[in-house]
Amino acid sequence: MSLSDTGTGIAPDVIKKIFDPFFTTKPVGKGTGLGLSQVYGFAHQSGGSVVVRSELGQGSTIVLTLPRSYANVSSAGKAEDPHVPQPAAGTILVVEDNAEVRDVTATLLEQIGYDVLRAENAADALAQLQNGPAVDLVFSDIVMPNGMNGIHLVQEVREHYPNVRVLLTTGYSEVTAAGESRFAILRKPFAISELERAVRETLADATGSVPRRAAGTGM
C-alpha cells in the first residue's frame, strides 16, 4: 500500500530521521514526533516494513508492506487476541515531561488495570512519592529537563523508597546503549502487550534488584 503527495519533498538529511521517535520538523509544542514512529512500529510488529521515497520539489511516497493472511474469516474471528491485557492491580507513577505522551502512557496502564498517577518531571515525582498515595512502581522517561533526568530520579527512588519498583523508558537508542544496563529500560514505541509484560516483570521482582532490560519495538 502506498501513499503519495505532490508537496515540496523531504530533504536527504531529514528523510533518514523521520521514523525516529520524537523527531519532528514542527515548532516546539506543535507535534510529538510519534506519528511516523508508530507507523514504523506497527509495520514491523506485523512482520512488514515501511519505506519512504522522496525528491525535493517532486513530493514523497510512503510504501507500507504487510504480510498477506491466508486465514479464512471465520477462523480469524475466533482467534484469540494475544494483545488483550490481563487484569492487574497496583499504583504506577508515570513521569513524562511531554503531556501528550504522559496521557497516552497513563491511559494504556489504566486499560491494563493499574491505578495511575502523573508527574511532569522528576521533582514533581519525588514530591508525590513523599506526600501522595502509596506507589508500587515509578515508570519514568529518561530524557527530561530541569537538571534531573530519569536515571537521577531512579537513584533517588531506590535510596529513599526501596520498596518502590522502577522502570525506565526512552525513544533514544544512544541513551539505551549508554551502559545503563543496571536499570530496566523499555524502548519507545511499545505495544500495550510489551508495556504490560515489562511492568509485570518489574513488579514481580521481590528481591528489590533491578530486572533485566526490557526491549521494546524500537519506537
Coordinates of all heavy atoms in Angstrom, one line a residue, residues 151-217:
I151 N 17.4 8.7 35.1 CA 18.4 8.0 35.8 C 18.6 8.5 37.2 O 18.7 7.8 38.2 CB 19.8 8.0 35.0 CG1 19.6 7.4 33.6 CG2 20.9 7.3 35.8 CD1 19.4 5.9 33.7
H152 N 18.7 9.9 37.3 CA 18.8 10.5 38.6 C 17.6 10.3 39.5 O 17.8 10.0 40.7 CB 19.0 12.0 38.5 CG 20.3 12.4 37.7 ND1 20.3 13.4 36.8 CD2 21.5 11.8 37.6 CE1 21.5 13.5 36.2 NE2 22.2 12.5 36.7
L153 N 16.5 10.3 38.9 CA 15.2 10.0 39.6 C 15.2 8.6 40.2 O 14.9 8.4 41.4 CB 14.0 10.2 38.7 CG 12.7 9.8 39.3 CD1 12.4 10.6 40.6 CD2 11.6 10.0 38.3
V154 N 15.6 7.7 39.4 CA 15.6 6.3 39.8 C 16.6 6.1 41.0 O 16.3 5.4 42.0 CB 16.0 5.3 38.7 CG1 16.4 3.9 39.2 CG2 14.8 5.2 37.7
Q155 N 17.7 6.7 40.9 CA 18.7 6.6 42.0 C 18.1 7.2 43.3 O 18.3 6.6 44.4 CB 20.0 7.4 41.6 CG 20.7 6.7 40.5 CD 21.9 7.5 39.9 OE1 21.9 8.8 40.1 NE2 22.8 6.9 39.2
E156 N 17.4 8.3 43.2 CA 16.8 8.9 44.4 C 15.7 7.9 45.0 O 15.6 7.7 46.2 CB 16.1 10.2 44.1 CG 17.1 11.3 43.8 CD 17.8 11.7 45.1 OE1 17.1 11.9 46.2 OE2 19.1 11.9 45.1
V157 N 14.9 7.4 44.0 CA 13.8 6.5 44.5 C 14.4 5.3 45.2 O 13.9 4.8 46.2 CB 13.0 6.0 43.3 CG1 12.0 4.9 43.6 CG2 12.2 7.2 42.7
R158 N 15.4 4.7 44.6 CA 16.0 3.5 45.2 C 16.7 3.7 46.5 O 16.7 2.9 47.4 CB 17.0 2.8 44.2 CG 16.3 2.3 43.0 CD 17.2 1.5 42.1 NE 17.8 0.3 42.7 CZ 17.1 -0.8 42.9 NH1 15.9 -0.9 42.5 NH2 17.7 -1.8 43.5
E159 N 17.1 5.0 46.7 CA 17.8 5.3 48.0 C 16.8 5.6 49.1 O 16.9 5.1 50.2 CB 18.7 6.5 47.8 CG 19.4 6.9 49.1 CD 20.3 8.1 48.9 OE1 20.6 8.5 47.8 OE2 20.9 8.6 49.9
H160 N 15.7 6.3 48.7 CA 14.8 6.8 49.8 C 13.5 6.0 49.8 O 12.8 6.0 50.8 CB 14.4 8.2 49.5 CG 15.6 9.2 49.6 ND1 16.2 9.5 50.8 CD2 16.3 9.8 48.6 CE1 17.3 10.3 50.6 NE2 17.3 10.5 49.3
Y161 N 13.2 5.2 48.7 CA 11.9 4.4 48.7 C 12.3 3.0 48.1 O 11.9 2.7 47.0 CB 10.9 5.1 47.8 CG 10.6 6.6 48.2 CD1 11.3 7.6 47.6 CD2 9.7 6.9 49.2 CE1 11.0 8.9 48.0 CE2 9.4 8.2 49.6 CZ 10.1 9.2 49.0 OH 9.9 10.5 49.3
P162 N 13.0 2.3 48.9 CA 13.5 1.0 48.4 C 12.4 0.0 48.1 O 12.7 -1.0 47.3 CB 14.4 0.5 49.6 CG 13.8 1.2 50.8 CD 13.4 2.5 50.3
N163 N 11.2 0.1 48.6 CA 10.1 -0.8 48.2 C 9.4 -0.4 47.0 O 8.5 -1.2 46.5 CB 9.1 -0.8 49.4 CG 9.7 -1.5 50.7 OD1 10.5 -2.3 50.6 ND2 9.3 -0.9 51.8
V164 N 9.7 0.7 46.4 CA 9.1 1.1 45.1 C 9.9 0.6 43.9 O 11.1 0.8 43.9 CB 9.0 2.6 45.0 CG1 8.4 3.1 43.7 CG2 8.1 3.2 46.2
R165 N 9.3 -0.1 43.0 CA 10.0 -0.6 41.8 C 10.1 0.5 40.8 O 9.4 1.5 40.8 CB 9.2 -1.8 41.2 CG 9.0 -3.0 42.2 CD 10.3 -3.6 42.5 NE 10.1 -4.8 43.4 CZ 10.3 -4.7 44.7 NH1 10.7 -3.6 45.3 NH2 10.1 -5.8 45.5
V166 N 11.1 0.4 39.9 CA 11.4 1.4 38.9 C 11.5 0.8 37.6 O 12.1 -0.3 37.4 CB 12.7 2.2 39.3 CG1 12.4 3.0 40.6 CG2 13.9 1.3 39.5
L167 N 11.0 1.5 36.6 CA 11.1 1.1 35.2 C 11.3 2.3 34.3 O 10.6 3.3 34.5 CB 9.9 0.3 34.7 CG 9.8 -0.1 33.2 CD1 10.9 -1.1 32.9 CD2 8.4 -0.7 33.0
L168 N 12.3 2.3 33.5 CA 12.6 3.5 32.7 C 12.2 3.2 31.2 O 12.0 2.1 30.8 CB 14.1 3.8 32.7 CG 14.7 4.3 34.0 CD1 16.2 4.3 34.0 CD2 14.1 5.7 34.3
T169 N 12.0 4.3 30.5 CA 11.7 4.2 29.1 C 12.3 5.4 28.3 O 12.6 6.4 28.8 CB 10.1 4.3 28.9 OG1 9.8 4.1 27.5 CG2 9.6 5.7 29.3
T170 N 12.6 5.1 27.0 CA 13.2 6.1 26.2 C 13.0 5.8 24.7 O 12.9 4.6 24.4 CB 14.7 6.3 26.5 OG1 15.2 7.4 25.7 CG2 15.5 5.1 26.1
G171 N 13.0 6.8 23.9 CA 13.0 6.5 22.4 C 14.3 6.8 21.8 O 14.4 6.7 20.5
Y172 N 15.3 7.0 22.6 CA 16.7 7.4 22.0 C 17.6 6.2 22.2 O 17.9 5.8 23.3 CB 17.3 8.6 22.7 CG 16.4 9.8 22.5 CD1 15.5 10.2 23.5 CD2 16.6 10.6 21.4 CE1 14.7 11.4 23.3 CE2 15.8 11.7 21.2 CZ 14.9 12.1 22.1 OH 14.2 13.3 21.9
S173 N 18.0 5.6 21.1 CA 18.8 4.4 21.1 C 20.1 4.6 21.7 O 20.7 3.7 22.4 CB 19.0 3.8 19.7 OG 19.6 4.8 18.8
E174 N 20.7 5.8 21.6 CA 22.0 6.1 22.2 C 21.9 6.1 23.7 O 22.9 5.8 24.4 CB 22.6 7.4 21.6 CG 21.8 8.7 22.0 CD 20.7 9.0 20.9 OE1 20.4 8.0 20.2 OE2 20.3 10.1 20.8
V175 N 20.8 6.5 24.2 CA 20.6 6.5 25.7 C 20.5 5.1 26.2 O 21.1 4.7 27.2 CB 19.3 7.3 26.0 CG1 19.1 7.2 27.5 CG2 19.5 8.8 25.6
T176 N 19.8 4.3 25.4 CA 19.6 2.9 25.8 C 21.0 2.2 25.8 O 21.3 1.3 26.7 CB 18.7 2.1 24.9 OG1 17.4 2.9 24.8 CG2 18.4 0.7 25.3
A177 N 21.8 2.5 24.9 CA 23.1 1.8 24.7 C 24.2 2.5 25.5 O 25.4 2.2 25.4 CB 23.5 1.8 23.2
A178 N 23.9 3.4 26.4 CA 24.9 4.2 27.1 C 25.5 3.5 28.3 O 26.1 4.1 29.2 CB 24.4 5.5 27.5
G179 N 25.2 2.2 28.5 CA 25.8 1.4 29.5 C 25.0 1.4 30.8 O 25.5 1.0 31.9
E180 N 23.7 1.8 30.7 CA 22.9 1.8 31.9 C 22.2 0.5 32.1 O 21.0 0.4 32.3 CB 21.9 3.0 31.9 CG 22.5 4.4 31.8 CD 23.3 4.7 33.1 OE1 23.1 4.0 34.1 OE2 24.0 5.7 33.1
S181 N 22.9 -0.6 31.9 CA 22.3 -1.9 32.0 C 21.8 -2.3 33.3 O 21.1 -3.3 33.5 CB 23.3 -3.0 31.4 OG 24.4 -3.0 32.2
R182 N 22.1 -1.6 34.4 CA 21.7 -1.9 35.7 C 20.2 -1.5 35.9 O 19.6 -1.9 36.9 CB 22.5 -1.2 36.8 CG 22.5 0.3 36.8 CD 23.6 0.8 37.7 NE 23.5 2.3 37.8 CZ 24.2 3.1 37.0 NH1 24.8 2.6 36.0 NH2 24.1 4.4 37.2
F183 N 19.6 -0.8 34.9 CA 18.2 -0.4 35.0 C 17.4 -1.1 33.9 O 17.9 -1.3 32.8 CB 18.1 1.1 34.9 CG 18.8 1.9 35.9 CD1 19.9 2.7 35.6 CD2 18.4 1.8 37.3 CE1 20.6 3.4 36.6 CE2 19.1 2.6 38.2 CZ 20.2 3.3 37.9
A184 N 16.2 -1.4 34.2 CA 15.3 -1.9 33.2 C 14.8 -0.8 32.3 O 14.4 0.2 32.8 CB 14.1 -2.6 33.9
I185 N 15.0 -0.9 31.0 CA 14.6 0.1 30.0 C 13.7 -0.5 29.0 O 14.0 -1.4 28.3 CB 15.8 0.7 29.4 CG1 16.8 1.3 30.4 CG2 15.4 1.8 28.4 CD1 18.1 1.8 29.8
L186 N 12.5 0.2 28.8 CA 11.5 -0.2 27.8 C 11.6 0.8 26.7 O 11.4 2.0 26.9 CB 10.1 -0.3 28.4 CG 9.0 -0.6 27.4 CD1 9.1 -2.0 26.9 CD2 7.6 -0.4 28.1
R187 N 12.0 0.3 25.5 CA 12.1 1.2 24.3 C 10.8 1.7 23.8 O 9.8 1.0 23.7 CB 12.9 0.5 23.2 CG 14.4 0.3 23.4 CD 15.1 1.6 23.3 NE 14.8 2.3 22.0 CZ 15.3 2.0 20.9 NH1 16.2 1.1 20.7 NH2 14.9 2.7 19.8
K188 N 10.7 3.0 23.5 CA 9.6 3.6 22.8 C 9.8 3.4 21.3 O 10.9 3.5 20.8 CB 9.4 5.1 23.1 CG 9.2 5.4 24.6 CD 9.1 6.9 24.7 CE 8.9 7.4 26.1 NZ 9.0 8.8 26.3
P189 N 8.7 3.2 20.5 CA 7.3 3.0 21.0 C 7.1 1.6 21.4 O 7.8 0.7 20.9 CB 6.5 3.3 19.7 CG 7.4 2.9 18.6 CD 8.8 3.2 19.1
F190 N 6.2 1.3 22.3 CA 5.9 0.0 22.8 C 4.5 -0.4 22.6 O 3.6 0.5 22.7 CB 6.3 -0.2 24.2 CG 6.0 1.0 25.1 CD1 4.7 1.2 25.5 CD2 6.9 1.9 25.5 CE1 4.3 2.3 26.3 CE2 6.6 3.0 26.3 CZ 5.3 3.2 26.7
A191 N 4.2 -1.6 22.3 CA 2.8 -2.1 22.2 C 2.3 -2.3 23.6 O 3.1 -2.4 24.6 CB 2.8 -3.5 21.5
I192 N 1.0 -2.3 23.8 CA 0.4 -2.5 25.1 C 0.9 -3.8 25.8 O 1.0 -3.9 27.0 CB -1.1 -2.3 25.1 CG1 -1.7 -2.2 26.5 CG2 -1.7 -3.5 24.3 CD1 -3.1 -1.8 26.5
S193 N 1.0 -4.8 24.9 CA 1.5 -6.1 25.5 C 2.9 -6.0 26.0 O 3.2 -6.7 27.1 CB 1.4 -7.2 24.4 OG 2.2 -6.9 23.3
E194 N 3.8 -5.3 25.4 CA 5.1 -5.1 25.8 C 5.2 -4.3 27.1 O 5.9 -4.6 28.0 CB 6.0 -4.4 24.8 CG 6.2 -5.3 23.5 CD 6.8 -4.5 22.4 OE1 6.5 -3.3 22.3 OE2 7.5 -5.1 21.6
L195 N 4.3 -3.2 27.2 CA 4.2 -2.4 28.4 C 3.8 -3.3 29.6 O 4.3 -3.3 30.7 CB 3.3 -1.3 28.2 CG 3.0 -0.4 29.4 CD1 4.3 0.3 29.9 CD2 1.9 0.7 29.0
E196 N 2.7 -4.1 29.3 CA 2.2 -4.9 30.4 C 3.2 -5.9 30.9 O 3.4 -6.1 32.1 CB 1.0 -5.7 29.9 CG 0.3 -6.6 30.9 CD -0.8 -7.4 30.3 OE1 -0.9 -7.6 29.1 OE2 -1.6 -8.0 31.1
R197 N 3.9 -6.6 29.9 CA 4.9 -7.5 30.3 C 6.1 -6.9 31.1 O 6.5 -7.4 32.2 CB 5.5 -8.2 29.1 CG 6.5 -9.3 29.4 CD 6.9 -10.1 28.2 NE 7.5 -9.3 27.2 CZ 7.0 -8.9 26.0 NH1 5.7 -9.3 25.8 NH2 7.6 -8.2 25.2
A198 N 6.6 -5.7 30.7 CA 7.7 -5.1 31.4 C 7.2 -4.7 32.8 O 8.0 -4.8 33.8 CB 8.1 -3.9 30.6
V199 N 6.0 -4.1 32.9 CA 5.5 -3.7 34.3 C 5.4 -4.9 35.2 O 5.8 -4.9 36.3 CB 4.2 -2.9 34.1 CG1 3.6 -2.7 35.5 CG2 4.5 -1.6 33.4
R200 N 4.8 -6.0 34.7 CA 4.5 -7.2 35.5 C 5.9 -7.8 35.9 O 6.0 -8.2 37.1 CB 3.7 -8.2 34.7 CG 2.3 -7.9 34.6 CD 1.5 -9.0 33.9 NE 0.1 -8.7 33.7 CZ -0.8 -8.9 34.7 NH1 -0.5 -9.4 35.9 NH2 -2.1 -8.7 34.5
E201 N 6.9 -7.8 35.1 CA 8.1 -8.4 35.4 C 8.8 -7.5 36.5 O 9.5 -8.1 37.4 CB 9.0 -8.5 34.2 CG 8.6 -9.6 33.2 CD 9.5 -9.7 32.0 OE1 10.4 -8.8 31.9 OE2 9.3 -10.6 31.2
T202 N 8.7 -6.2 36.4 CA 9.3 -5.3 37.3 C 8.6 -5.4 38.7 O 9.3 -5.5 39.7 CB 9.3 -3.9 36.8 OG1 9.9 -3.8 35.5 CG2 10.0 -3.0 37.8
L203 N 7.3 -5.5 38.7 CA 6.6 -5.6 40.0 C 6.8 -6.9 40.6 O 6.7 -7.0 41.8 CB 5.1 -5.3 39.7 CG 4.7 -3.9 39.4 CD1 3.2 -3.8 39.0 CD2 4.9 -3.0 40.7
A204 N 7.0 -8.0 39.8 CA 7.2 -9.3 40.3 C 8.5 -9.5 41.0 O 8.8 -10.6 41.6 CB 6.9 -10.3 39.2
D205 N 9.5 -8.6 40.8 CA 10.8 -8.8 41.3 C 10.8 -8.5 42.8 O 10.8 -7.4 43.3 CB 11.8 -7.8 40.7 CG 13.2 -7.9 41.2 OD1 13.7 -9.0 41.2 OD2 13.7 -6.9 41.7
A206 N 10.7 -9.6 43.6 CA 10.5 -9.5 45.1 C 11.8 -9.2 45.8 O 11.9 -8.9 47.0 CB 9.9 -10.7 45.6
T207 N 13.0 -9.3 45.1 CA 14.3 -9.1 45.8 C 14.7 -7.7 45.9 O 15.5 -7.3 46.7 CB 15.4 -9.9 45.0 OG1 15.6 -9.2 43.7 CG2 15.0 -11.3 44.8
G208 N 14.0 -6.8 45.1 CA 14.4 -5.4 45.1 C 15.5 -5.1 44.1 O 15.8 -3.9 43.9
S209 N 16.1 -6.1 43.5 CA 17.1 -5.8 42.5 C 16.4 -5.5 41.2 O 15.3 -5.8 41.0 CB 18.0 -7.1 42.3 OG 17.2 -8.1 41.8
V210 N 17.1 -4.7 40.3 CA 16.5 -4.3 39.1 C 16.5 -5.4 38.1 O 17.6 -6.1 37.9 CB 17.3 -3.1 38.5 CG1 16.7 -2.6 37.2 CG2 17.4 -2.0 39.5
P211 N 15.4 -5.7 37.5 CA 15.4 -6.8 36.5 C 16.1 -6.5 35.2 O 16.5 -5.4 35.0 CB 13.9 -7.0 36.2 CG 13.3 -5.7 36.5 CD 14.1 -5.1 37.6
R212 N 16.2 -7.5 34.4 CA 17.0 -7.3 33.1 C 16.3 -6.2 32.3 O 15.1 -5.9 32.4 CB 17.0 -8.6 32.3 CG 15.6 -9.1 32.0 CD 15.7 -10.4 31.2 NE 14.4 -10.9 30.9 CZ 13.6 -10.5 30.0 NH1 13.9 -9.4 29.2 NH2 12.4 -11.1 29.8
R213 N 17.0 -5.7 31.3 CA 16.5 -4.6 30.5 C 15.3 -5.2 29.6 O 15.4 -6.3 29.1 CB 17.6 -4.1 29.5 CG 17.1 -3.1 28.5 CD 18.2 -2.6 27.6 NE 19.2 -1.9 28.4 CZ 20.4 -1.7 28.1 NH1 20.9 -2.1 26.9 NH2 21.3 -1.0 28.8
A214 N 14.3 -4.4 29.6 CA 13.1 -4.8 28.8 C 13.2 -4.2 27.4 O 13.3 -2.9 27.3 CB 11.8 -4.4 29.5
A215 N 13.1 -5.0 26.4 CA 13.3 -4.4 25.0 C 11.9 -4.2 24.4 O 11.1 -5.0 24.3 CB 14.1 -5.4 24.1
G216 N 11.7 -3.0 23.9 CA 10.5 -2.6 23.2 C 10.7 -2.8 21.7 O 11.5 -3.6 21.2
T217 N 9.8 -2.1 20.9 CA 9.8 -2.3 19.5 C 10.8 -1.4 18.8 O 10.9 -1.6 17.6 CB 8.4 -2.0 18.9 OG1 8.1 -0.6 19.1 CG2 7.3 -2.9 19.6

